[in-house]
Amino acid sequence: MPQSSYVHEVMQALKRDGLDEAIKLYHLSIRRRQPSNITEVARELIEQHIDVRIGKLQNRINEIEAQLAARKTLRARLQCGWRRITSFFIRGKPFPETDDENELQAELAEHKAMIEGLWRIKARLRAAEAGRAGVS
Amino acid sequence: MKKRVAKTAAAGGLGFLAGLLLERGLESLTGMDFVDGVFAVGGAVLASLQVNRDMVEVASKNIRDMFGKDPLEISEEEWNLYKEKYPKSAVYLEKALGV
């Protein structure tokens, strides 16, 4: 297939929000043919897509961190303690505050890992193109 | 090869017509006088480069996701930021749109 066909498929995948597919096709395109100006633009467009995802994940991380930080204030701790006591005496079971906090911590760790993964993918995209260009 | 050239010329012609219609339509709707042929030429350029149109579409979607506004609405500062971060795509977009 000519390189423009690969690039066309990469663009179609990006339009569908199929980042994995776009990356796979991009790697295939530079493995089969020498990188050109058009593949460099395609790589940058994939990188933009990755950066948008990183931005969204970072926003969520900031939100979670703000929520967790708000729970660490003295007033929030007192309120939480009071809720636990009242719910234990009224409903007979403790207030599930810690479960919620654990969930947030897990989500935070997951998002951070995803960001690291996306950075690695970006680095690999650049390295693949540089390596292929170096071969020629 | 001949088939491809004919296809590209046909697509370019159609793009030109579409651009011309858009320009005339906008002029009659808004009463504004657009710079002669900008849309028509832009349409022809985009239509004659079929792969490139996909790229322009993806790039404009990315710009919308990044800055939260339409590519036509971004400021010069934002465009320079984009250009600094993604030089190849910026140059490509400028060429494709004849800026």
Side-chain angles (χ1 to χ4, degrees):
Chain A
M1 273 208 293
Q3 202 158 45
S4 59
S5 303
Y6 285 112
V7 172
H8 176 74
E9 290 305 317
V10 169
M11 294 305 121
Q12 295 305 315
L14 284 179
K15 277 188 198 172
R16 290 192 299 268
D17 214 22
L19 185 61
D20 291 347
E21 198 189 339
I23 291 167
K24 210 186 292 172
L25 284 162
Y26 169 78
H27 280 297
L28 196 64
S29 82
I30 58 164
R31 213 178 302 140
R32 297 263 167 93
R33 310 258 172 189
Q34 284 298 323
S36 61
N37 186 43
I38 213 93
T39 53
E40 283 179 18
V41 176
R43 179 192 35 87
E44 276 194 3
L45 291 175
I46 296 173
E47 281 182 5
Q48 287 166 34
H49 210 84
I50 292 174
D51 286 342
V52 168
R53 281 200 184 183
I54 290 176
K56 282 179 186 167
L57 287 168
Q58 193 57 55
N59 285 346
R60 181 65 190 139
I61 285 175
N62 294 345
E63 254 175 48
I64 295 171
E65 280 177 345
Q67 275 181 39
L68 290 172
R71 287 175 186 199
K72 296 242 160 63
T73 60
L74 182 63
R75 189 186 161 85
R77 279 168 189 252
L78 285 172
Q79 277 178 345
C80 175
W82 180 247
R83 273 202 300 265
R84 274 169 194 245
I85 292 164
T86 51
S87 71
F88 181 75
F89 283 108
I90 296 168
R91 280 182 267 157
K93 54 182 180 183
F95 189 73
E97 189 80 26
T98 47
D99 286 352
D100 191 31
E101 194 169 323
N102 287 343
E103 266 176 35
L104 285 176
Q105 292 283 8
E107 196 185 334
L108 192 69
E110 196 181 312
H111 288 345
K112 281 183 178 172
M114 278 162 84
I115 287 182
E116 268 178 38
L118 287 169
W119 277 113
R120 248 179 277 135
I121 290 172
K122 255 178 94 169
R124 235 179 287 151
L125 281 175
R126 281 174 182 253
E129 193 169 272
R132 193 72 172 91
V135 168
S136 62
Chain B
M1 180 67 184
K2 269 183 188 171
K3 200 179 162 192
R4 196 185 166 116
V5 170
K7 213 174 146 188
T8 306
L14 276 175
F16 182 85
L17 276 176
L20 200 65
L21 281 173
L22 176 71
E23 189 170 319
R24 290 292 145 87
L26 282 173
E27 274 177 1
S28 60
L29 274 176
T30 59
M32 284 193 288
D33 191 17
F34 287 96
V35 182
D36 275 349
V38 166
F39 281 93
V41 173
V45 169
L46 281 180
S48 62
L49 308 164
Q50 295 220 354
V51 169
N52 308 4
R53 193 169 52 188
D54 287 329
M55 288 184 134
V56 172
E57 275 174 25
V58 170
S60 56
K61 184 186 171 286
N62 286 345
I63 289 174
R64 219 171 292 135
D65 289 343
M66 270 177 215
F67 300 106
K69 45 183 147 173
D70 211 66
L72 291 172
E73 291 168 355
I74 63 168
S75 64
E76 201 175 338
E77 207 175 294
E78 286 166 332
W79 175 247
N80 287 336
L81 195 75
Y82 179 83
K83 213 171 165 179
E84 198 180 305
K85 220 170 163 193
Y86 313 106
K88 301 263 175 192
S89 325
V91 168
Y92 189 83
L93 271 178
E94 283 176 347
K95 270 188 196 163
L97 298 170
V99 179

